[in-house]
Amino acid sequence: MKRQLQTAAFVLLVSIQYCVAQSGDLPHIALLYHRDSDVRIRTIRTLAASNNRELIDDLIRAHSIENYAPVHNVYEEVLSSLTGRADIQGKGAWKAWLGNEAAARRLNINYLPIDPNSLAPEQSERILPFAARLGLEHFEKMASILTAEVYDRQKCHETLRYMVANDNCYQVQKFLI
């Protein structure tokens, strides 16, 4: 029962943020990494409704590590709408498209910082822990996890998600080769 109330409260909060977004403010990018899929879906739709092309890279990045099919489908829908490209399907195809657009200087890759601590405490504790470490400032730490002599399955799983999320960055590409 408590979990249902928490979920309802988060959905309500994101709904309120949706209304605020109509006046110019957008929900925090960290909500793309929320544990509740309904919150992620509402956040994706709200960000897409802004028609802000500067958010495309953040949406593609979050999409690249999304595991839940209904959320994945929403990403596909909104990215097609935002870019006008209905011919692109799949996480890898969107990442490739983003790389090509950046190389042609039609789009910048400038990920917004993900700082769960800037959210209300009841929200920040619901953000997936690895999301706060997606920035390139964490690259050395993440690379060291994959090259460590001691294997930690959970850390490796999160680190691999980090590498996928940032695979368009030179540091990560060089490391993975």
Side-chain angles (χ1 to χ4, degrees):
M1 179 69 168
K2 182 179 177 183
R3 180 169 165 82
Q4 290 172 328
L5 288 173
Q6 286 176 328
T7 300
F10 285 124
V11 171
L12 177 62
L13 185 58
V14 172
S15 297
I16 291 167
Q17 288 178 331
Y18 176 80
C19 294
V20 171
Q22 302 309 304
S23 65
D25 276 344
L26 293 174
H28 197 289
I29 203 79
L31 293 175
L32 292 172
Y33 305 94
H34 197 278
R35 291 181 191 277
D36 185 331
S37 60
D38 290 334
V39 172
R40 293 195 311 272
I41 288 171
R42 177 70 100 176
T43 302
I44 295 163
R45 291 193 185 287
T46 303
L47 292 172
S50 74
N51 286 319
N52 183 345
R53 290 187 51 84
E54 292 178 12
L55 296 173
I56 291 173
D57 57 337
D58 292 291
L59 290 168
I60 290 174
R61 179 191 208 186
H63 176 235
S64 73
I65 55 176
E66 178 59 55
N67 292 327
Y68 189 52
V71 179
H72 167 79
N73 294 338
V74 172
Y75 274 117
E76 293 284 333
E77 173 191 322
V78 301
L79 287 170
S80 292
S81 176
L82 274 173
T83 63
R85 298 293 306 264
D87 59 324
I88 302 173
Q89 293 291 314
K91 301 172 183 185
W94 280 110
K95 289 292 283 267
W97 176 84
L98 178 62
N100 290 336
E101 292 296 296
R105 300 194 192 301
R106 290 186 291 263
L107 197 62
N108 289 324
I109 298 175
N110 186 23
Y111 297 126
L112 294 173
I114 300 167
D115 181 14
N117 295 324
S118 65
L119 296 168
E122 64 274 5
Q123 281 186 314
S124 66
E125 64 190 31
R126 301 282 306 193
I127 302 301
L128 296 169
F130 76 91
R133 296 185 301 272
L134 282 177
L136 285 178
E137 66 274 13
H138 300 283
F139 173 77
E140 293 299 325
K141 171 80 171 147
M142 298 308 232
S144 72
I145 291 170
L146 291 180
T147 57
E149 291 185 24
V150 177
Y151 177 75
D152 180 324
R153 181 182 172 152
Q154 182 61 33
K155 284 184 179 179
C156 285
H157 174 76
E158 290 180 359
T159 301
L160 290 173
R161 289 182 86 184
Y162 170 91
M163 295 297 177
V164 169
N166 291 300
D167 66 0
N168 60 336
C169 301
Y170 177 75
Q171 280 177 281
V172 174
Q173 291 173 352
K174 186 176 176 184
F175 175 79
L176 293 175
I177 291 178

